C-alpha cells in the first residue's frame, strides 16, 4: 500500500513568517494530494489539494507544490497568523485502493 | 455549505459491548468512508462504501466491524464486541465521486471503551 511520510512533526514560527511542511509518498499511482488542517478536538478540514497533472496550486496565503518524479509535495503558508496554529496532515489518494493515506501530522504553532 | 454530520459526538461503552456510530453524508455524495484517529496519532482508513457495498477495507477493519446504509441518508459503523484499543475518534467522510475527489469529514465521534 501507500506510505506517506511527513516532516517536521512540530514547527514553530513567528507571526508573519512562512511555514513549510513536506511530505513524501511511495506509490507512483497516487494521483491526488489533499492537505487537511485539524484544530484540537475538531474534524480534519480540507484546506487545499493538488492533482498529479499540476505542479503548483495557490489559494491566497496557502500554496502546494508537487514533484511527481521525486514523489514529494509540500505545503507553504505565507504571512502566518496565530489562527493558523493547528495540526496539518498531508494525504495521498491511491487510485487502486480508493482511499486516503495520511501522513503523521505537523503541529504548527504561530507565535504572536 | 453542506456538511457531513455524525452522532453521537461522544460514546462511552463497556468493553465487550456493541456500538453503532452514525453518519449522514452530504446528500449528493456517492462514496462514503470511515476513518479512525487514536489520540495524538494520524488518521487511519477503515473502510470505503459505494453502491451499498464495501469497496475497500483496511487491515484494521476486521470481523468485529461492519458498515451499513440502512436508508437513503444514514451510514453506520458497527463494532460488535468492543475492545479497549477501539478507543479513538471515528470520522465519517464522503465524496462526490471516486478518483481523488475531495473528501469532506464530519466532526467525529469520540469512542471511549472502559
Amino acid at each position: 500500500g501507500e506510505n506517506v511520510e511527513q516532516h517536521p512533526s512540530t514547527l514553530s514560527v513567528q507571526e508573519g513568517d512562512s511555514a513549510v511542511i513536506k511530505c513524501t509518498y511511495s506509490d507512483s499511482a497516487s494521483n491526488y494530494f489533499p492537505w487537511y488542517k485539524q484544530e484540537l478536538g475538531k474534524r480534519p478540514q480540507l484546506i487545499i489539494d493538488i492533482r498529479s497533472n499540476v505542479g503548483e496550486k495557490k489559494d491566497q496565503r496557502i500554496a502546494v507544490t508537487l514533484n511527481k518524479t521525486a514523489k514529494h509535495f509540500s505545503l507553504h503558508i505565507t504571512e502566518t497568523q496565530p489562527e493558523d496554529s493547528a495540526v496539518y496532515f498531508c494525504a495521498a489518494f491511491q487510485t487502486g485502493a480508493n482511499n486516503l493515506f495520511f501522513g503523521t501530522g505537523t503541529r504548527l504553532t504561530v507565535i504572536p | 455549505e453542506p456538511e457531513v454530520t455524525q452522532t453521537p459526538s461522544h460514546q462511552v461503552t463497556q468493553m465487550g459491548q456493541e456500538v453503532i456510530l452514525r453518519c449522514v453524508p452530504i446528500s449528493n455524495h456517492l462514496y462514503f468512508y470511515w476513518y479512525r484517529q487514536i489520540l495524538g496519532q494520524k488518521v487511519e482508513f477503515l473502510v470505503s462504501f459505494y453502491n451499498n457495498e464495501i469497496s475497500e477495507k483496511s487491515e484494521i477493519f476486521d470481523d468485529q466491524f461492519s458498515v451499513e446504509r440502512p436508508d437513503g441518508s444514514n451510514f453506520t459503523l458497527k463494532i460488535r464486541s468492543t475492545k479497549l484499543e477501539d478507543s479513538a475518534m471515528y470520522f465519517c467522510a464522503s465524496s462526490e465521486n471516486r478518483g481523488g475527489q475531495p473528501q469532506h469529514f464530519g466532526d467525529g465521534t469520540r469512542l471511549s471503551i472502559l
Side-chain angles (χ1 to χ4, degrees):
Chain A
E2 175 64 274
N3 181 40
V4 178
E5 296 192 356
Q6 184 171 347
H7 301 279
S9 56
T10 60
L11 178 61
S12 292
V13 300
Q14 291 289 334
E15 182 177 358
D17 287 350
S18 295
V20 180
I21 302 170
K22 299 183 179 183
C23 288
T24 60
Y25 61 99
S26 60
D27 191 339
S28 56
S30 292
N31 62 356
Y32 171 68
F33 307 92
W35 284 88
Y36 287 86
K37 174 184 180 182
Q38 187 178 32
E39 296 175 13
L40 189 62
K42 297 197 174 179
R43 72 174 79 184
Q45 188 171 11
L46 179 68
I47 56 171
I48 196 166
D49 55 13
I50 191 166
R51 300 185 189 285
S52 57
N53 59 347
V54 175
E56 184 173 355
K57 183 176 177 181
K58 190 173 180 181
D59 182 4
Q60 299 182 350
R61 297 186 296 109
I62 297 173
V64 57
T65 59
L66 171 65
N67 183 327
K68 277 196 316 182
T69 305
K71 296 199 197 72
H72 65 70
F73 56 115
S74 301
L75 177 71
H76 305 251
I77 306 174
T78 58
E79 300 171 32
T80 52
Q81 300 166 3
E83 51 265 38
D84 294 330
S85 296
V87 178
Y88 291 80
F89 289 96
C90 63
F93 181 87
Q94 190 184 38
T95 307
N98 191 34
N99 58 264
L100 289 173
F101 292 86
F102 281 81
T104 48
T106 296
R107 181 174 299 281
L108 173 65
T109 302
V110 179
I111 303 165
Chain B
E1 184 178 331
E3 290 185 344
V4 175
T5 57
Q6 288 185 245
T7 54
S9 57
H10 192 187
Q11 175 80 45
V12 181
T13 301
Q14 291 288 334
M15 187 173 61
Q17 296 296 305
E18 174 184 286
V19 293
I20 298 176
L21 311 183
R22 292 183 165 78
C23 168
V24 179
I26 294 173
S27 61
N28 64 331
H29 286 187
L30 301 177
Y31 287 83
F32 315 124
Y33 310 85
W34 283 101
Y35 293 86
R36 80 169 186 192
Q37 186 178 33
I38 295 171
L39 187 64
Q41 297 186 22
K42 68 178 177 180
V43 178
E44 299 174 289
F45 169 73
L46 292 177
V47 65
S48 60
F49 192 87
Y50 169 71
N51 199 26
N52 281 321
E53 61 183 25
I54 291 173
S55 62
E56 296 289 340
K57 60 182 180 179
S58 72
E59 292 174 352
I60 303 168
F61 194 88
D62 61 22
D63 292 343
Q64 294 299 314
F65 291 88
S66 62
V67 289
E68 194 178 31
R69 189 156 164 82
D71 53 45
S73 59
N74 287 285
F75 177 52
T76 62
L77 174 70
K78 182 192 288 187
I79 309 175
R80 257 180 283 280
S81 178
T82 50
K83 303 187 280 284
L84 292 176
E85 53 264 37
D86 293 327
S87 295
M89 193 76 154
Y90 287 80
F91 291 103
C92 173
S94 69
S95 64
E96 196 170 338
N97 213 328
R98 191 187 170 109
Q101 297 295 317
Q103 293 186 20
H104 298 272
F105 284 70
D107 283 331
T109 293
R110 181 169 299 283
L111 178 62
S112 300
I113 308 300
L114 304 179

